[in-house]
């Protein structure tokens, strides 16, 4: 099951993290579908301090930590 962490923020914004590497055939297929559907996403290709523990696709708006300048 590639669904790892559904989230609903305090502001009612729903997001989901998909445990699929964006560089795999499956990851590219998911990202193509998300683009065609007009859904926002961020592809993490590895760990990022404070945001991601490993490769995955974050569907939905970015967290405030990523959105901040």
């Amino acid at each position: 099951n590639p669904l790892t962490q559904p989230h609903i923020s305090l502001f009612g914004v729903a997001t989901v993290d998909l445990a699929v590497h964006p560089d795999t055939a499956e990851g590219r297929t998911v990202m193509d579908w998300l683009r065609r559907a007009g859904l926002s996403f961020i592809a993490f290709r590895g760990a990022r301090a404070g945001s991601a523990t490993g490769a995955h696709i974050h569907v939905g708006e970015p967290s405030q930590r990523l959105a901040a300048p």
Side-chain angles (χ1 to χ4, degrees):
N1 183 355
L3 181 64
T4 58
Q5 297 179 12
H7 306 279
I8 298 180
S9 75
L10 295 174
F11 304 104
V13 177
T15 64
V16 68
D17 291 335
L18 301 174
V20 60
H21 196 291
D23 293 336
T24 64
E26 293 86 359
R28 289 189 299 273
T29 298
V30 168
M31 291 188 298
D32 287 344
W33 184 86
L34 292 168
R35 285 184 190 101
R36 286 193 311 274
L39 297 172
S40 299
F41 69 91
I42 300 172
F44 289 91
R45 288 179 167 79
R48 181 174 172 167
S51 341
T53 58
H56 70 282
I57 299 172
H58 172 88
V59 182
E61 296 302 315
S63 73
Q64 292 303 314
R65 288 186 304 248
L66 293 176

